[in-house]
Amino acid sequence: MGTIAAQVRTWRVRRGLTQQQFADALGRHVTWVKKFEAGDRQADPRLSLLVQIAQVLDVTLDVLLGQSDTAAGSRASAMSSGDLRAALLSPVAHDRPQNNQALNRRVAHGYLAYQASNYQDLQRLLPGLLADARSTAATNPGEPSTTHVLAETYHLISITLMKLGDPDAAWHAADQALATAETLDDPVTAALCGQALTWAATGIGHGATGAAIAQAVLDRHAATLATRDEEGWTAIGMTQLKAAVAAADTGNLTLTRHMLAEARVSADHVRPDANIRLTGFNATNVLLYEASVLAQLGEHLAALNAAERIHPAALTALPRERRTHHLVDTAGSAQAAGRTDQALRMLLDAEQISPQEVHTLPAARTVIKALVHARRGPSGGSGLRELARRAGVPA
C-alpha cells in the first residue's frame, strides 16, 4: 500500500490539488485522504477505487500503480504550483538578507532555466530566492538594486506559474512585480513586468483588462523605451505581443492585428537573433506569436500557414522554451484542423527538444488528450499511445 499511497500523493501534488480538493473530487472526507496517503487505509484497495482515483488525477492506471516505465512520472513528481503559491503567501522573514550580487546570479540562473524549459530546477530555486529577495528588500527598503532583484524574482515566478497552469497565482506574482518595478527609475523592468501582468490577466479570463494594462504600460513608458536601443524596443515589443494575445482572447481582431503590426516594427529595431534580457524577442518570435494568436482566434489553417513562414534555422536558434511552446501551439492548430498526423509529429519533435514540457505542462497535455480522444488514422496508433503513456495521459 505504501507504493500506491506515494504514487497517489505524488500525482495529487503534481496536479496542484490540495488534500481537500482531492477529497471533494472523490466524494470523501479530507481525513480519509490524509490516512490513505499515509498508508493507514486499505492495504489492498479495490480496483474500482483505484480507477476513480486515476480518473480524478488524470493518469493511466498503470502509471498510478507504478507499472509504467515512463520517465515522466519521476521527472514530473514536483511539477505543481503549490510550493510557489506557498512562497507568495508566506510572511516576510527579516533574518535572511543576502548579498545583491549573489541574488542577481540566482535570478539570472532562473531565467536561463526558464528558457531551457527546466521547470523542476525553477521550482527548487524560486521559493528560496523569493524569501531571500523579500528579506533583503525589507532590510534595505528603497535600495534600487535590491528592489530590482525583487521585481525580477516576482516576474520570473509569474511566468513560471503561467507555464504550470496557475494563472491566478501568476496574477498575484505579476501584480507584485509591476508594483515593485514601478518604484524604480527603470522603464525596461517595469514594461517587462507589465507584460507578465497582461499575460496573467488573459490567463484568468480577463483579456480586455490585460490589453488595457499593456496599453497603460506603453502610454507610460514607450517614449522613454524608444530611446533605450535594443533593450527598450524589446520591452515595447514584448508588451505589444502580450497585448495581441489579450486582444485575441476577447476576439478583438482589429486590436490583435494592430498590436502584431506594431510588434513587427519593434522587432526591426533589434537583431534577428536577439535575446535581450533573456526574452527571446526578435522578428522570428513575432511570427511565433502570430501563429499562436491566429490559433486563439480559431483561424487554425492561417496559423499553420504562419508557422510555415518561419525559417527552420531561425526557429532552431530560438531558446528551447520558445521552440517547444511554438511546436505545442502549432500542434494544437493542426489537431483542430483535422491534421492529426501532423499534430503528432510536432508533439514528438517538441518532446525531443524538451521532454519535461511535453510530458508535464498543461498546454501540451491538452493537445495530447485531444489527439487521444480523436483516435483517427495513424495518429491513433502506437506512436500516440506511447507519447500518451510517457505523459501520463489515459489512452
Side-chain angles (χ1 to χ4, degrees):
M1 175 59 204
T3 299
I4 296 175
Q7 284 288 96
V8 169
R9 184 184 184 283
T10 289
W11 284 93
R12 174 183 64 75
V13 172
R14 178 180 169 188
R15 296 301 186 233
L17 295 173
T18 65
Q19 288 183 321
Q20 183 63 64
Q21 290 169 330
F22 185 43
D24 291 344
L26 290 172
R28 303 270 182 167
H29 193 276
V30 68
T31 302
W32 183 94
V33 171
K34 290 178 180 178
K35 289 183 177 180
F36 187 95
E37 291 187 352
D40 295 340
R41 281 187 178 274
Q42 292 179 267
D44 185 19
R46 298 188 311 276
L47 178 61
S48 59
L49 172 62
L50 293 176
V51 168
Q52 184 187 13
I53 290 173
Q55 289 173 340
V56 169
L57 296 177
D58 191 19
V59 296
T60 57
L61 191 57
D62 63 336
V63 167
L64 186 66
L65 295 174
Q67 295 172 353
S68 170
D69 61 355
T70 176
S74 60
R75 263 200 311 270
S77 61
M79 293 297 292
S80 79
S81 62
D83 289 345
L84 294 183
R85 273 180 168 260
L88 288 168
L89 295 173
S90 296
V92 177
H94 292 266
D95 59 349
R96 48 191 298 171
Q98 304 288 310
N99 176 275
N100 277 330
Q101 206 169 25
L103 287 173
N104 269 312
R105 284 196 296 270
R106 291 163 69 187
V107 170
H109 173 75
Y111 278 108
L112 289 170
Y114 180 88
Q115 286 204 327
S117 298
N118 191 346
Y119 301 106
Q120 282 187 313
D121 197 8
L122 281 166
Q123 287 175 295
R124 287 190 293 268
L125 169 74
L126 290 175
L129 174 58
L130 178 61
D132 291 344
R134 291 171 76 191
S135 180
T136 306
T139 305
N140 303 282
E143 202 281 313
S145 60
T146 301
T147 305
H148 180 269
V149 167
L150 182 58
E152 291 275 24
T153 301
Y154 276 126
H155 173 259
L156 184 55
I157 288 175
S158 176
I159 60 179
T160 300
L161 285 164
M162 286 298 292
K163 282 288 186 176
L164 295 175
D166 192 345
D168 292 303
W171 164 270
H172 175 70
D175 185 51
Q176 290 294 315
L178 182 57
T180 303
E182 287 287 12
T183 67
L184 296 165
D185 182 21
D186 182 358
V188 174
T189 298
L192 292 175
C193 291
Q195 59 90 24
L197 188 59
T198 294
W199 189 19
T202 306
I204 60 176
H206 293 282
T209 299
I213 291 168
Q215 189 60 61
V217 168
L218 291 170
D219 290 344
R220 180 175 172 81
H221 296 296
T224 302
L225 289 170
T227 69
R228 299 290 182 93
D229 299 323
E230 284 190 313
E231 193 175 55
W233 284 105
T234 292
I236 292 173
M238 287 303 299
T239 304
Q240 291 162 336
L241 288 177
K242 287 300 192 292
V245 172
D249 186 66
T250 67
N252 189 333
L253 184 58
T254 300
L255 182 57
T256 300
R257 286 175 171 166
H258 171 71
M259 284 299 179
L260 285 173
E262 291 293 297
R264 283 191 286 271
V265 173
S266 296
D268 289 338
H269 293 269
V270 304
R271 289 160 290 157
D273 61 347
N275 186 19
I276 307 300
R277 296 282 287 264
L278 297 177
T279 62
F281 178 76
N282 54 40
T284 302
N285 207 357
V286 174
L287 281 175
L288 265 63
Y289 269 83
E290 182 179 346
S292 178
V293 163
L294 287 168
Q296 271 185 276
L297 293 167
E299 301 290 337
H300 297 292
L301 290 176
L304 292 172
N305 289 335
E308 289 169 2
R309 300 203 307 271
I310 301 170
H311 194 282
L315 181 61
T316 301
L318 289 173
R320 181 183 299 177
E321 179 271 333
R322 282 282 82 213
R323 285 180 284 149
T324 309
H325 189 105
H326 168 67
L327 285 168
V328 170
D329 273 357
T330 310
S333 288
Q335 184 277 323
R339 300 182 183 180
T340 51
D341 294 345
Q342 182 181 5
L344 178 58
R345 285 196 302 272
M346 289 176 173
L347 287 175
L348 292 174
D349 287 346
E351 186 184 35
Q352 288 295 312
I353 298 168
S354 177
Q356 186 183 82
E357 184 142 5
V358 174
H359 294 166
T360 63
L361 298 188
R365 289 172 51 81
T366 295
V367 183
I368 295 171
K369 284 192 280 189
L371 287 175
V372 168
H373 181 72
R375 290 183 180 273
R376 290 196 293 267
S379 64
S382 61
L384 176 58
R385 287 196 298 273
E386 288 301 302
L387 174 62
R389 178 181 60 81
R390 291 190 293 271
V393 172

PDB file of all heavy atoms in Angstrom, residues 42 44-55 61-62 64-65:
ATOM      1  N   GLN A  42      -6.827   0.646   3.788  1.00  0.00           N
ATOM      2  CA  GLN A  42      -6.991  -0.276   2.679  1.00  0.00           C
ATOM      3  C   GLN A  42      -5.657  -0.767   2.129  1.00  0.00           C
ATOM      4  O   GLN A  42      -5.146  -0.290   1.119  1.00  0.00           O
ATOM      5  CB  GLN A  42      -7.809   0.381   1.556  1.00  0.00           C
ATOM      6  CG  GLN A  42      -9.249   0.607   1.991  1.00  0.00           C
ATOM      7  CD  GLN A  42     -10.049   1.277   0.902  1.00  0.00           C
ATOM      8  OE1 GLN A  42     -10.144   2.498   0.896  1.00  0.00           O
ATOM      9  NE2 GLN A  42     -10.605   0.514  -0.012  1.00  0.00           N
ATOM     10  N   ASP A  44      -5.136  -3.275   0.528  1.00  0.00           N
ATOM     11  CA  ASP A  44      -5.370  -3.767  -0.839  1.00  0.00           C
ATOM     12  C   ASP A  44      -6.588  -3.038  -1.401  1.00  0.00           C
ATOM     13  O   ASP A  44      -7.704  -3.557  -1.386  1.00  0.00           O
ATOM     14  CB  ASP A  44      -5.613  -5.285  -0.792  1.00  0.00           C
ATOM     15  CG  ASP A  44      -5.743  -5.868  -2.194  1.00  0.00           C
ATOM     16  OD1 ASP A  44      -5.290  -5.206  -3.147  1.00  0.00           O
ATOM     17  OD2 ASP A  44      -6.284  -6.976  -2.313  1.00  0.00           O
ATOM     18  N   PRO A  45      -6.411  -1.811  -1.886  1.00  0.00           N
ATOM     19  CA  PRO A  45      -7.565  -1.027  -2.325  1.00  0.00           C
ATOM     20  C   PRO A  45      -8.317  -1.678  -3.478  1.00  0.00           C
ATOM     21  O   PRO A  45      -7.718  -2.328  -4.341  1.00  0.00           O
ATOM     22  CB  PRO A  45      -6.947   0.304  -2.771  1.00  0.00           C
ATOM     23  CG  PRO A  45      -5.487   0.188  -2.637  1.00  0.00           C
ATOM     24  CD  PRO A  45      -5.146  -1.121  -2.084  1.00  0.00           C
ATOM     25  N   ARG A  46      -9.615  -1.500  -3.488  1.00  0.00           N
ATOM     26  CA  ARG A  46     -10.444  -2.047  -4.553  1.00  0.00           C
ATOM     27  C   ARG A  46     -10.060  -1.425  -5.895  1.00  0.00           C
ATOM     28  O   ARG A  46      -9.704  -0.243  -5.977  1.00  0.00           O
ATOM     29  CB  ARG A  46     -11.925  -1.772  -4.276  1.00  0.00           C
ATOM     30  CG  ARG A  46     -12.459  -2.415  -3.010  1.00  0.00           C
ATOM     31  CD  ARG A  46     -13.983  -2.255  -2.917  1.00  0.00           C
ATOM     32  NE  ARG A  46     -14.388  -0.878  -3.158  1.00  0.00           N
ATOM     33  CZ  ARG A  46     -14.399   0.060  -2.211  1.00  0.00           C
ATOM     34  NH1 ARG A  46     -13.994  -0.221  -0.985  1.00  0.00           N
ATOM     35  NH2 ARG A  46     -14.814   1.285  -2.486  1.00  0.00           N
ATOM     36  N   LEU A  47     -10.183  -2.222  -6.952  1.00  0.00           N
ATOM     37  CA  LEU A  47      -9.872  -1.743  -8.292  1.00  0.00           C
ATOM     38  C   LEU A  47     -10.767  -0.567  -8.654  1.00  0.00           C
ATOM     39  O   LEU A  47     -10.303   0.414  -9.263  1.00  0.00           O
ATOM     40  CB  LEU A  47     -10.044  -2.875  -9.317  1.00  0.00           C
ATOM     41  CG  LEU A  47      -9.784  -2.484 -10.781  1.00  0.00           C
ATOM     42  CD1 LEU A  47      -8.356  -2.008 -10.963  1.00  0.00           C
ATOM     43  CD2 LEU A  47     -10.081  -3.665 -11.701  1.00  0.00           C
ATOM     44  N   SER A  48     -12.041  -0.614  -8.258  1.00  0.00           N
ATOM     45  CA  SER A  48     -12.965   0.474  -8.600  1.00  0.00           C
ATOM     46  C   SER A  48     -12.507   1.793  -7.983  1.00  0.00           C
ATOM     47  O   SER A  48     -12.638   2.858  -8.592  1.00  0.00           O
ATOM     48  CB  SER A  48     -14.381   0.147  -8.131  1.00  0.00           C
ATOM     49  OG  SER A  48     -14.408  -0.055  -6.715  1.00  0.00           O
ATOM     50  N   LEU A  49     -11.945   1.711  -6.751  1.00  0.00           N
ATOM     51  CA  LEU A  49     -11.434   2.920  -6.103  1.00  0.00           C
ATOM     52  C   LEU A  49     -10.217   3.450  -6.852  1.00  0.00           C
ATOM     53  O   LEU A  49     -10.091   4.657  -7.087  1.00  0.00           O
ATOM     54  CB  LEU A  49     -11.073   2.622  -4.651  1.00  0.00           C
ATOM     55  CG  LEU A  49     -10.354   3.748  -3.894  1.00  0.00           C
ATOM     56  CD1 LEU A  49     -11.233   4.990  -3.807  1.00  0.00           C
ATOM     57  CD2 LEU A  49      -9.948   3.280  -2.498  1.00  0.00           C
ATOM     58  N   LEU A  50      -9.310   2.565  -7.240  1.00  0.00           N
ATOM     59  CA  LEU A  50      -8.120   2.990  -7.961  1.00  0.00           C
ATOM     60  C   LEU A  50      -8.476   3.602  -9.306  1.00  0.00           C
ATOM     61  O   LEU A  50      -7.855   4.575  -9.750  1.00  0.00           O
ATOM     62  CB  LEU A  50      -7.164   1.809  -8.146  1.00  0.00           C
ATOM     63  CG  LEU A  50      -6.530   1.271  -6.856  1.00  0.00           C
ATOM     64  CD1 LEU A  50      -5.678   0.053  -7.165  1.00  0.00           C
ATOM     65  CD2 LEU A  50      -5.713   2.342  -6.170  1.00  0.00           C
ATOM     66  N   VAL A  51      -9.473   3.044  -9.967  1.00  0.00           N
ATOM     67  CA  VAL A  51      -9.932   3.607 -11.248  1.00  0.00           C
ATOM     68  C   VAL A  51     -10.471   5.018 -11.028  1.00  0.00           C
ATOM     69  O   VAL A  51     -10.172   5.946 -11.797  1.00  0.00           O
ATOM     70  CB  VAL A  51     -11.007   2.702 -11.891  1.00  0.00           C
ATOM     71  CG1 VAL A  51     -11.680   3.425 -13.064  1.00  0.00           C
ATOM     72  CG2 VAL A  51     -10.387   1.397 -12.370  1.00  0.00           C
ATOM     73  N   GLN A  52     -11.239   5.207  -9.962  1.00  0.00           N
ATOM     74  CA  GLN A  52     -11.771   6.536  -9.657  1.00  0.00           C
ATOM     75  C   GLN A  52     -10.647   7.528  -9.363  1.00  0.00           C
ATOM     76  O   GLN A  52     -10.657   8.668  -9.856  1.00  0.00           O
ATOM     77  CB  GLN A  52     -12.725   6.462  -8.460  1.00  0.00           C
ATOM     78  CG  GLN A  52     -13.391   7.798  -8.134  1.00  0.00           C
ATOM     79  CD  GLN A  52     -14.209   7.754  -6.840  1.00  0.00           C
ATOM     80  OE1 GLN A  52     -14.091   6.810  -6.063  1.00  0.00           O
ATOM     81  NE2 GLN A  52     -15.013   8.778  -6.618  1.00  0.00           N
ATOM     82  N   ILE A  53      -9.667   7.098  -8.577  1.00  0.00           N
ATOM     83  CA  ILE A  53      -8.534   7.974  -8.258  1.00  0.00           C
ATOM     84  C   ILE A  53      -7.771   8.337  -9.530  1.00  0.00           C
ATOM     85  O   ILE A  53      -7.395   9.501  -9.732  1.00  0.00           O
ATOM     86  CB  ILE A  53      -7.605   7.288  -7.238  1.00  0.00           C
ATOM     87  CG1 ILE A  53      -8.283   7.213  -5.870  1.00  0.00           C
ATOM     88  CG2 ILE A  53      -6.274   8.034  -7.127  1.00  0.00           C
ATOM     89  CD1 ILE A  53      -7.507   6.409  -4.841  1.00  0.00           C
ATOM     90  N   ALA A  54      -7.530   7.358 -10.390  1.00  0.00           N
ATOM     91  CA  ALA A  54      -6.815   7.615 -11.646  1.00  0.00           C
ATOM     92  C   ALA A  54      -7.561   8.625 -12.501  1.00  0.00           C
ATOM     93  O   ALA A  54      -6.953   9.505 -13.136  1.00  0.00           O
ATOM     94  CB  ALA A  54      -6.608   6.309 -12.407  1.00  0.00           C
ATOM     95  N   GLN A  55      -8.895   8.510 -12.534  1.00  0.00           N
ATOM     96  CA  GLN A  55      -9.695   9.455 -13.318  1.00  0.00           C
ATOM     97  C   GLN A  55      -9.574  10.870 -12.758  1.00  0.00           C
ATOM     98  O   GLN A  55      -9.412  11.836 -13.506  1.00  0.00           O
ATOM     99  CB  GLN A  55     -11.160   9.011 -13.347  1.00  0.00           C
ATOM    100  CG  GLN A  55     -11.404   7.764 -14.183  1.00  0.00           C
ATOM    101  CD  GLN A  55     -12.825   7.244 -14.053  1.00  0.00           C
ATOM    102  OE1 GLN A  55     -13.539   7.556 -13.088  1.00  0.00           O
ATOM    103  NE2 GLN A  55     -13.252   6.450 -15.019  1.00  0.00           N
ATOM    104  N   LEU A  61      -4.037   3.952 -15.190  1.00  0.00           N
ATOM    105  CA  LEU A  61      -3.995   3.102 -14.003  1.00  0.00           C
ATOM    106  C   LEU A  61      -2.609   2.492 -13.813  1.00  0.00           C
ATOM    107  O   LEU A  61      -2.131   2.376 -12.679  1.00  0.00           O
ATOM    108  CB  LEU A  61      -5.054   2.000 -14.120  1.00  0.00           C
ATOM    109  CG  LEU A  61      -5.323   1.170 -12.862  1.00  0.00           C
ATOM    110  CD1 LEU A  61      -5.735   2.057 -11.703  1.00  0.00           C
ATOM    111  CD2 LEU A  61      -6.400   0.127 -13.142  1.00  0.00           C
ATOM    112  N   ASP A  62      -1.930   2.133 -14.923  1.00  0.00           N
ATOM    113  CA  ASP A  62      -0.605   1.537 -14.763  1.00  0.00           C
ATOM    114  C   ASP A  62       0.403   2.543 -14.218  1.00  0.00           C
ATOM    115  O   ASP A  62       1.302   2.184 -13.449  1.00  0.00           O
ATOM    116  CB  ASP A  62      -0.110   0.916 -16.077  1.00  0.00           C
ATOM    117  CG  ASP A  62       0.066   1.926 -17.183  1.00  0.00           C
ATOM    118  OD1 ASP A  62      -0.585   2.984 -17.130  1.00  0.00           O
ATOM    119  OD2 ASP A  62       0.846   1.659 -18.118  1.00  0.00           O
ATOM    120  N   LEU A  64      -0.423   5.004 -12.151  1.00  0.00           N
ATOM    121  CA  LEU A  64      -0.782   5.142 -10.738  1.00  0.00           C
ATOM    122  C   LEU A  64      -0.220   3.978  -9.914  1.00  0.00           C
ATOM    123  O   LEU A  64       0.228   4.162  -8.782  1.00  0.00           O
ATOM    124  CB  LEU A  64      -2.302   5.204 -10.592  1.00  0.00           C
ATOM    125  CG  LEU A  64      -2.836   5.484  -9.188  1.00  0.00           C
ATOM    126  CD1 LEU A  64      -2.443   6.880  -8.738  1.00  0.00           C
ATOM    127  CD2 LEU A  64      -4.360   5.336  -9.168  1.00  0.00           C
ATOM    128  N   LEU A  65      -0.218   2.786 -10.512  1.00  0.00           N
ATOM    129  CA  LEU A  65       0.264   1.604  -9.808  1.00  0.00           C
ATOM    130  C   LEU A  65       1.774   1.441  -9.902  1.00  0.00           C
ATOM    131  O   LEU A  65       2.340   0.486  -9.365  1.00  0.00           O
ATOM    132  CB  LEU A  65      -0.417   0.343 -10.366  1.00  0.00           C
ATOM    133  CG  LEU A  65      -1.934   0.261 -10.149  1.00  0.00           C
ATOM    134  CD1 LEU A  65      -2.499  -0.936 -10.874  1.00  0.00           C
ATOM    135  CD2 LEU A  65      -2.257   0.210  -8.672  1.00  0.00           C
TER     136      LEU A  65
END
